[in-house]
Amino acid sequence: MNPPIRDAHKKDIAHALHPYTNLAIHEEQGPLVITRGEGVYVWDDEGNRYLEGLAGLWCVSLGFSEARLAQAAAEQFAALPYSHTFAHRSTEPVIALSEKLIEIAPAPMTRAFFLNSGSEAIDAMIRFTWYYNNGRGLPEKKKIISRKRGYHGVTVAGGSLTAIPLMQNDFDLPLERMIHTDPAGYYRYGLTGESEEDFASRLADNLEQLILKEGPGTVAAFVAEPVMGAGGVMLPPATYFEKIQAVLDKYDVLMVADEVICGFGRTGNMWGSQTYGIRPDMVTCAKQLSSGYLPISALMISDKIYDVLKEQSRKHGAFGMGYTYGGHPVSCAVALETLKIYEERDIVGHVRKVAPHFQRRLTELGSSILVGEARGVGLIGALELVMNKSTGEQYSPETKAGAALSARALARGLIVRALPGDVIGICPPLIITKAQIDELFDSLAHAISETEDQLRRAA
Ligand SMILES: Cc1ncc(COP(=O)(O)O)c(C=O)c1O
């Protein structure tokens, strides 16, 4: 028999350490224990139903009850629950999945390397970059540029590219060699009277100045999410990537597209790189690769990088890195089935069909006094909360306006996420219907007006 619920909560408080959680508050508040899911909904241990407006952590594209994925896992478990890809070994799921990923990649790629998380894919990308430039006889060319408020995971190296203070302060990050340029958020960082195109030109110019200051011979790669997600959902301004790519090309700097959130239909194309005209040399992906059902990520690399890695492995005797669970056959089988379902059900087509309605309902919320900007693309949405709508002035961090709104939404049966800068992130499963989109935004509209009242009373 299960222990009484309160006991389970006490045990969670006593034993589980929760990431991205205020540990002291958790001791008083306890966990929200999710016990089951169906379609776009999940239920907690008291039987309350929630519309999962963040698809878990931007990953559960096919919803919480896709039987075909469970079946694919069961079949692979029965056939071969584990094997690896070290030292020339392979498995059928690895072969089929790498072929499929290379076929659908957003730019010509030649090899896929499998890992278990977005963070590991970023970490591997860094190692590949250094190995690549050493192989080219450019041992000084090692710095990697990311953008402030970019999110690229939490390994020591990848966490150095995640340029968000909360995630670096007192962790002794960033490491040297990791440098940061401007975030691409026009609403918050554009100057008065500056057009989006002019903003993009200024950012490209700043990037060029940074490369010149550091020394082009020391800068190896630039990594960017097509849409900046966890740092506050910022969409690139018009002409941004075109101008950034021109600077990178000029100084022989690799372009890395971090597609961990945007990959697999989220923005209305298979890849965010296609939505925004990015021409990557390497691509990281994870999350929707398996609809979040099992941990898996991939790093895809283009010919020019692969050729150097091959020479390096000849020189050293082998390509000297790998993960025990990289290319786990069960994760690969589930990812392969996920990609099959995307194709068979035309999931990208579905996103294109419902996204205009999603974006229309999102934009309507922009008229609230609390919302400085409503922005989004495909099935990504964000509301940036402000204290003063006309100046864009933000609430003090102590007000916790974003957290207040997400708590109100939760009480109404809707899960959304408060991100840095009081930005509410919305990113439902890709299978969401028009009626469920209405349910999501109706709940959110109520939660916003309750939060407005709450903040007004507190002022
Ligand atoms: C763009 C991006 N890169 C990397 C990561 C890290 O992925 P993981 O949490 O699987 O390590 C995330 C996670 O949200 C992400 O959004």
Side-chain angles (χ1 to χ4, degrees), residues 188-414:
R188 180 76 29 219
Y189 301 104
L191 302 175
T192 314
E194 189 177 44
S195 70
E196 272 198 47
E197 285 81 355
D198 288 347
F199 176 57
S201 301
R202 177 161 65 83
L203 298 196
D205 198 42
N206 286 352
L207 176 66
E208 179 160 18
Q209 294 313 314
L210 179 65
I211 293 172
L212 290 171
K213 183 177 120 244
E214 296 288 334
T218 72
V219 180
F222 172 83
V223 59
E225 305 152 80
V227 174
M228 302 183 76
V233 188
M234 284 175 265
L235 313 178
T239 71
Y240 173 78
F241 277 111
E242 178 192 315
K243 288 169 179 162
I244 293 286
Q245 291 257 186
V247 174
L248 302 179
D249 289 348
K250 188 165 164 190
Y251 297 105
D252 178 30
V253 174
L254 296 173
M255 171 77 218
V256 181
D258 184 350
E259 292 268 7
V260 166
I261 281 179
C262 294
F264 310 106
R266 179 56 66 185
T267 64
N269 288 296
M270 186 52 88
W271 303 95
S273 292
Q274 291 159 336
T275 302
Y276 294 110
I278 303 171
R279 291 177 283 107
D281 298 297
M282 287 194 265
V283 175
T284 52
C285 61
K287 297 197 187 254
Q288 298 194 141
L289 172 55
S290 65
S291 186
Y293 278 38
L294 280 177
I296 181 167
S297 63
L299 170 62
M300 287 187 271
I301 59 172
S302 55
D303 255 346
K304 72 174 180 189
I305 297 170
Y306 175 69
D307 289 347
V308 176
L309 301 194
K310 188 167 71 180
E311 284 319 305
Q312 285 280 68
S313 80
R314 215 195 293 277
K315 174 177 138 195
H316 292 287
F319 181 59
M321 68 170 290
Y323 296 79
T324 298
Y325 302 114
H328 192 288
V330 183
S331 301
C332 288
V334 168
L336 201 57
E337 190 68 6
T338 304
L339 299 186
K340 251 191 222 153
I341 294 173
Y342 290 162
E343 258 178 33
E344 282 173 25
R345 298 189 195 154
D346 187 18
I347 289 291
V348 175
H350 174 74
V351 172
R352 286 197 189 151
K353 203 164 93 210
V354 298
H357 186 62
F358 178 93
Q359 294 298 333
R360 202 162 34 248
R361 294 288 323 252
L362 177 76
T363 306
E364 280 164 20
L365 297 183
S367 62
S368 155
I369 186 84
L370 184 58
V371 176
E373 187 184 50
R375 55 179 177 259
V377 60
L379 283 179
I380 299 181
L383 301 172
E384 181 152 347
L385 308 185
V386 290
M387 191 170 69
N388 184 325
K389 199 173 169 79
S390 50
T391 62
E393 189 188 346
Q394 294 177 287
Y395 281 99
S396 69
E398 300 76 55
T399 307
K400 298 192 184 340
L405 175 49
S406 67
R408 292 278 178 183
L410 193 71
R412 290 191 155 271
L414 170 66

Side-chain angles (χ1 to χ4, degrees), residues 26-258:
H26 188 72
E27 289 191 11
E28 293 155 23
Q29 186 175 301
L32 171 67
V33 180
I34 301 296
T35 55
R36 70 184 185 91
E38 200 180 312
V40 299
Y41 301 101
V42 293
W43 280 259
D44 70 16
D45 56 1
E46 290 176 355
N48 300 307
R49 189 187 83 158
Y50 304 92
L51 196 164
E52 234 301 4
L54 207 82
L57 287 172
W58 322 71
C59 49
V60 185
S61 44
L62 295 175
F64 293 83
S65 50
E66 181 46 67
R68 277 179 58 181
L69 299 185
Q71 181 67 20
E75 283 170 13
Q76 186 58 43
F77 271 125
L80 179 71
Y82 179 79
S83 188
H84 60 81
T85 58
F86 287 22
H88 310 286
R89 295 268 193 97
S90 200
T91 62
E92 287 168 344
V94 163
I95 295 167
L97 183 61
S98 46
E99 180 187 27
K100 187 75 203 163
L101 276 176
I102 295 303
E103 179 197 317
I104 65 171
M109 294 284 142
T110 186
R111 293 291 188 282
F113 184 69
F114 294 112
L115 316 94
N116 311 292
S117 65
S119 296
E120 286 176 353
I122 288 288
D123 205 70
M125 174 280 288
I126 296 165
R127 288 183 62 142
F128 280 36
T129 301
W130 292 345
Y131 201 67
Y132 166 70
N133 276 341
N134 285 329
R136 295 164 76 208
L138 300 170
E140 302 300 318
K141 201 167 174 67
K142 295 292 166 52
K143 291 175 190 161
I144 304 191
I145 302 178
S146 66
R147 298 171 302 170
K148 292 178 191 133
R149 296 184 70 173
Y151 191 85
H152 303 287
V154 296
T155 63
V156 171
S160 296
L161 297 173
T162 290
I164 300 172
L166 168 73
M167 301 162 198
Q168 297 195 323
N169 291 348
D170 277 345
F171 285 113
D172 288 6
L173 299 178
L175 298 177
E176 277 178 43
R177 292 185 173 181
M178 308 300 185
I179 49 182
H180 306 125
T181 188
D182 309 283
Y186 179 60
Y187 171 72
R188 180 76 29 219
Y189 301 104
L191 302 175
T192 314
E194 189 177 44
S195 70
E196 272 198 47
E197 285 81 355
D198 288 347
F199 176 57
S201 301
R202 177 161 65 83
L203 298 196
D205 198 42
N206 286 352
L207 176 66
E208 179 160 18
Q209 294 313 314
L210 179 65
I211 293 172
L212 290 171
K213 183 177 120 244
E214 296 288 334
T218 72
V219 180
F222 172 83
V223 59
E225 305 152 80
V227 174
M228 302 183 76
V233 188
M234 284 175 265
L235 313 178
T239 71
Y240 173 78
F241 277 111
E242 178 192 315
K243 288 169 179 162
I244 293 286
Q245 291 257 186
V247 174
L248 302 179
D249 289 348
K250 188 165 164 190
Y251 297 105
D252 178 30
V253 174
L254 296 173
M255 171 77 218
V256 181
D258 184 350

Side-chain angles (χ1 to χ4, degrees), residues 392-437:
E393 189 188 346
Q394 294 177 287
Y395 281 99
S396 69
E398 300 76 55
T399 307
K400 298 192 184 340
L405 175 49
S406 67
R408 292 278 178 183
L410 193 71
R412 290 191 155 271
L414 170 66
I415 295 177
V416 290
R417 181 120 191 253
L419 300 166
D422 284 333
V423 175
I424 297 295
I426 309 154
C427 180
L430 300 184
I431 57 165
I432 194 167
T433 63
K434 206 164 162 235
Q436 289 164 340
I437 289 172

